[in-house]
Amino acid sequence: MPSHSHGPVIDLRSDTVTRPTPAMRQAMASAEVGDDVLGDDPTVIALQERIAQLMGKEAACFMPSGTMANQCAIRAHTEPGDEIIAHGDSHIIHYETGGPAALSGVMVCPLSGAAGIFDAPDVEHAVRGNDCHSPHSRLLIVENTHNRGGGSVWPIEQIQRVTSAAKKHGLRTHLDGARVWNACAATGLKPADYARHFDTLSCCFSKGLGAPVGSAVCGDKATIVRVHRFRKMFGGAMRQSGIIAAAALHALEHHRERLVDDHANARRLADMLREIPGISTPLAVQTNMVFFDLAPKLGTAANFAARLHQRGVWMLATAPQRMRAVCHLDVDRNMIERACEVARELAGADTPVGAR
Ligand SMILES: *Cc1c(COP(=O)(O)O)cnc(C)c1O
């Protein structure tokens, strides 16, 4: 863990910053491996079987990143000139470098809706008629939990409604479930309860679950054959990848139950931050993410982030006055409270009597 003159760094930039635990490193060190491009790495095979089973799908394909997982799924479902329907704040639009256009030659029709969530009439309205002028509406993508929506959780009934609307019009459906584990921890639903509404889903092992690398795409056999082909085309086929698959397997078995702790820490963090004059939390904390806004008197988010960083508290500025902090495996309750104290000091607020 990096340290700092004020003690260990409290890194709240993302849940991707976690270091593998000693037990995870042990699992990696002792992993049996083969050559996954030749199809005989037993640990990758075991991971793919395990994740497919957890999701209630026929097959799965291990991926180097969540971005590649989404992009291979998009490529597998579409042809150039097709259109995807997704929320305008979605990860595939903002953080995947224009991948849908560059790699699949598709357009994205952006929907609006609070916290990254839309409903069936929005889908109905976006689906295009079948004439020679229009792109083909081909694929609906739902992101759960929703990153830019503040780690928001889709109500399962609403997932059922939007995917039914899509299917009625012959669209395929994909869940960007990078943080579907957090949705499960928040609702008590099983991953398969979400997955059953979609043709394919991607999920990430290197965020809340704490593995160093890796994601997966799950779906029916025929679609996963295509996903696997595009993974190769995009340069993501790996050799002795059992080493990292072992970390993902370990994370699946050992790090899912504890996600509720991250959610409790995030609520605590938001509660403490909200008490600081000039700080507000515009998005409800539903999972492990906290977004907070700074009043102009506290300076810009970039400046606040830089001052926090000097004091060993790392967060991201995501807009001129907006900051993001994410709770994860490597931050405990004490670190959360320490981070708030530092924020309080920087904001020039007195420590409340009860907290002295
Ligand atoms: C992080 C993330 C991804 C994938 O990101 P990688 O950094 O490529 O692993 C995809 N979708 C969402 C919603 C994410 O938060």
Side-chain angles (χ1 to χ4, degrees):
M1 178 155 312
S3 64
H4 185 267
S5 54
H6 299 273
V9 163
I10 303 171
D11 191 347
L12 299 168
R13 290 171 302 167
S14 176
D15 45 8
T16 56
V17 302
T18 53
R19 307 296 201 274
T21 62
M24 183 181 278
R25 283 182 185 264
Q26 191 53 49
M28 297 173 76
S30 57
E32 221 187 305
V33 296
D35 186 322
D36 184 54
V37 180
L38 302 181
D40 62 12
D41 185 304
T43 309
V44 172
I45 292 169
L47 172 64
Q48 290 174 164
E49 284 174 359
R50 176 76 179 114
I51 190 69
Q53 175 224 352
L54 261 178
M55 295 298 176
K57 297 294 187 196
E58 285 175 2
C61 184
F62 186 40
M63 290 281 170
S65 72
T67 297
M68 192 179 284
N70 283 336
Q71 295 305 324
C72 288
I74 289 170
R75 184 64 190 85
H77 287 303
T78 62
E79 291 303 330
D82 285 347
E83 190 169 52
I84 300 176
I85 298 171
H87 195 282
D89 268 337
S90 59
H91 196 277
I92 61 147
I93 294 180
H94 289 274
Y95 304 125
E96 302 190 12
T97 65
L103 301 172
S104 299
V106 297
M107 321 181 15
V108 185
C109 173
L111 303 185
S112 48
I117 295 173
F118 48 84
D119 213 334
D122 305 307
V123 177
E124 295 278 356
H125 187 249
V127 173
R128 294 183 190 261
N130 194 8
D131 65 64
C132 71
H133 305 285
S134 308
H136 286 302
S137 302
R138 189 74 71 186
L139 174 66
L140 174 74
I141 299 187
V142 168
E143 185 178 315
N144 188 31
T145 65
H146 201 282
N147 187 332
R148 282 167 65 100
S152 54
V153 180
W154 275 73
I156 191 78
E157 306 76 30
Q158 206 158 337
I159 286 183
Q160 199 274 328
R161 287 200 297 273
V162 299
T163 53
S164 295
K167 285 167 200 167
K168 191 175 87 189
H169 293 285
L171 273 69
R172 308 213 79 199
T173 52
H174 173 74
L175 172 65
D176 179 352
R179 293 192 181 83
V180 70
W181 318 113
N182 295 92
C184 293
T187 59
L189 292 172
K190 300 215 169 348
D193 297 331
Y194 289 109
R196 59 189 276 267
H197 295 289
F198 297 91
D199 294 307
T200 54
L201 73 139
S202 54
C203 59
C204 190
F205 306 117
S206 70
K207 290 195 168 150
L209 295 190
V213 191
S215 285
V217 180
C218 306
D220 64 90
K221 275 193 187 131
T223 305
I224 296 304
V225 166
R226 276 175 70 76
V227 165
H228 184 259
R229 174 174 175 75
F230 292 118
R231 184 187 68 172
K232 180 70 181 160
M233 186 184 287
F234 297 167
M238 300 172 284
R239 300 291 179 177
Q240 282 72 51
S241 36
I243 298 269
I244 51 175
L249 272 169
H250 180 89
L252 276 178
E253 306 317 324
H254 300 285
H255 293 170
R256 278 192 290 150
E257 275 178 18
R258 58 157 306 286
L259 288 172
V260 291
D261 300 341
D262 294 343
H263 297 185
N265 283 340
R267 284 194 299 273
R268 174 78 178 138
L269 179 61
D271 288 346
M272 290 180 71
L273 286 170
R274 233 188 329 266
E275 281 175 18
I276 301 174
I279 289 184
S280 58
T281 51
L283 300 171
V285 175
Q286 297 184 37
T287 53
N288 64 330
M289 302 183 132
V290 178
F291 284 80
F292 60 97
D293 286 351
L294 303 174
K297 68 175 181 188
L298 298 186
T300 62
N303 180 263
F304 201 73
R307 288 161 66 216
L308 282 170
H309 193 274
Q310 281 173 355
R311 304 282 306 270
V313 177
W314 297 358
M315 297 182 186
L316 290 182
T318 62
Q321 297 302 131
R322 181 162 291 182
M323 307 272 302
R324 187 185 88 165
V326 186
C327 295
H328 54 74
L329 187 58
D330 287 353
V331 286
D332 59 20
R333 178 59 66 105
N334 287 337
M335 292 161 95
I336 292 301
E337 299 197 344
R338 171 77 194 131
C340 284
E341 268 169 44
V342 172
R344 172 173 287 282
E345 283 162 24
L346 292 182
D350 292 329
T351 305
V353 175
R356 261 182 237 268

